[in-house]
Amino acid sequence: MKITTLIPAYKTKYIVELLTALRVQTRPSSRIVISDDSPGGEFSALLESAPLRGLRQGLPIEVHQGPRNGAYENFKHLAGLWGSDSELVHLLLDDDVLYPEFYERHLIAHVSGRYSCSISGRWTANESGQPIGGQPLPKAVAGAGERILSLNDDVVFMTTVPWCRNWFGEFSNCVMSAESVALLAKPAFGGVSYAGLWDLGFFLAASIQAPIAYIQDRLGCFRTGGENNSSQFFGKFMKAAHLGYAALALGGARIGKLSRDQALLCYRGIAPALLQRYGSQEDMLPFCALLARMAEGDTQAETEFERAWAQYLHGHGF
């Protein structure tokens, strides 16, 4: 099996660590496609500079200009550049860290059975890449003796959305099958977009297609702080990430993957969190009121939320 690495490039700050991680893989990817969305093409310029020649040499890199229309549009652009050229695809964000056995362990998982994607554990790290904590796992997962778990859609949905918890992580610690890449094109369930929680939404959608292989080994780390979206607490992406759980619950129930009680559990979890964190934010006040009603089982509020959510996404360029 061949693995293609897709990199939506924007930040140049971690380019040395990025290239180093790709160079030291015990099972290298066969193709590395970079879509440069950085201002003025500064990522490409630095990549081609003389100081990085040694790190770059021998890596099967190809560079393309990005669409410059937001991160997720760059993800979809990369999927098009890939062009079904390999059995496996890895979407690697430019600030995340891979450990040397990342591709080897994911390849082993995919060879062992038919999976829509494989997801490995990861550490949370500070901005310098030093691990400072682990990803909290469901008790049944943390206590399992197997190194690779096969998880069906029932398990994936019930352990995430009702509890407003993404214990899987991000795209960077996931390797997709060729078949599942097409799911990036339409991030929605039952017509309800899950923009803002694209990674979790993709994992859920992939689990419907085929089971997910969860690799217990922590094979990389996710940087906190710095310039990533999760560090901009009052920015549009973090707000959308909160609202995205309600959207996933609404859409998941609509397609029959969540029960009414599970959807209500999600609403009842996100409503007080939204009020506590964003109750002073003018653009979130209507959602605070809607989620409070949804938590009480008001189906009309769900209809109003869906409309307001679509308007929010359109108005903020999602």
Side-chain angles (χ1 to χ4, degrees):
M1 285 184 170
K2 293 190 297 183
I3 301 174
T4 297
T5 304
L6 306 178
I7 302 175
Y10 186 83
K11 297 184 287 291
T12 60
K13 188 172 184 178
Y14 310 108
I15 192 170
V16 171
E17 292 95 327
L18 178 69
L19 294 174
T20 300
L22 293 169
R23 287 194 66 85
V24 301
Q25 289 298 308
T26 55
R27 171 57 166 81
S29 57
S30 59
R31 183 183 174 204
I32 300 169
V33 184
I34 296 175
S35 178
D36 184 2
D37 245 9
S38 63
E42 59 187 35
F43 190 96
S44 300
L46 182 57
L47 181 67
E48 296 296 328
S49 66
L52 295 186
R53 185 178 297 123
L55 276 176
R56 190 178 69 243
Q57 192 171 18
L59 289 174
I61 293 175
E62 57 186 79
V63 182
H64 303 263
Q65 181 174 312
R68 292 181 167 82
N69 191 29
Y72 197 75
E73 289 303 310
N74 204 9
F75 294 178
K76 294 192 290 185
H77 179 63
L78 279 161
L81 292 172
W82 162 66
S84 303
D85 185 50
S86 59
E87 297 90 343
L88 302 174
V89 175
H90 179 218
L91 187 58
L92 173 60
L93 276 63
D94 58 20
D95 56 357
D96 290 329
V97 180
L98 303 184
Y99 295 163
E101 292 185 347
F102 183 88
Y103 288 135
E104 181 180 349
R105 297 287 296 122
H106 280 265
L107 181 61
I108 289 170
H110 281 275
V111 169
S112 70
R114 179 179 176 263
Y115 294 107
S116 59
C117 65
S118 53
I119 303 173
S120 55
R122 48 83 162 166
W123 296 102
T124 298
N126 58 23
E127 193 179 354
S128 68
Q130 173 68 41
I132 56 175
Q135 182 83 339
L137 301 174
K139 288 183 179 179
V141 173
E146 301 89 346
R147 295 182 70 187
I148 300 177
L149 303 177
S150 179
L151 307 178
N152 64 22
D153 53 347
D154 288 339
V155 172
V156 175
F157 273 86
M158 74 171 58
T159 61
T160 55
V161 181
W163 309 102
C164 306
R165 178 175 59 200
N166 175 11
W167 61 270
F168 287 108
E170 296 75 35
F171 281 115
S172 288
N173 56 304
C174 166
V175 172
M176 313 172 193
S177 69
E179 181 185 8
S180 70
V181 175
L183 298 171
L184 294 171
K186 193 173 182 180
F189 289 132
V192 183
S193 171
Y194 50 73
L197 283 177
W198 290 292
D199 41 23
L200 178 57
F202 172 84
F203 302 151
L204 293 164
S207 73
I208 298 173
Q209 206 174 66
I212 288 175
Y214 184 74
I215 304 168
Q216 296 274 28
D217 304 289
R218 300 183 191 271
L219 300 174
C221 58
F222 167 78
R223 294 180 199 268
T224 57
E227 303 167 11
N228 61 32
N229 291 330
S230 61
S231 67
Q232 312 301 316
F233 189 75
F234 291 107
K236 65 179 184 180
F237 291 105
M238 280 300 290
K239 290 176 179 178
H242 282 71
L243 296 173
Y245 279 106
L248 282 172
L250 182 60
R254 183 171 293 173
I255 64 172
K257 293 300 176 183
L258 292 172
S259 68
R260 179 67 178 160
D261 286 344
Q262 288 172 324
L264 286 173
L265 186 60
C266 174
Y267 302 153
R268 290 166 183 164
I270 204 65
L274 194 71
L275 182 62
Q276 179 186 17
R277 298 167 187 173
Y278 297 111
S280 63
Q281 299 282 299
E282 186 175 351
D283 60 342
M284 290 291 102
L285 291 177
F287 289 108
C288 289
L290 284 171
L291 262 297
R293 290 168 55 199
M294 291 164 68
E296 294 299 319
D298 185 338
T299 56
Q300 179 58 36
E302 291 179 329
T303 301
E304 294 174 26
F305 171 86
E306 185 175 358
R307 188 183 310 117
W309 174 234
Q311 291 171 349
Y312 179 87
L313 295 177
H314 178 74
H316 289 81
F318 282 86

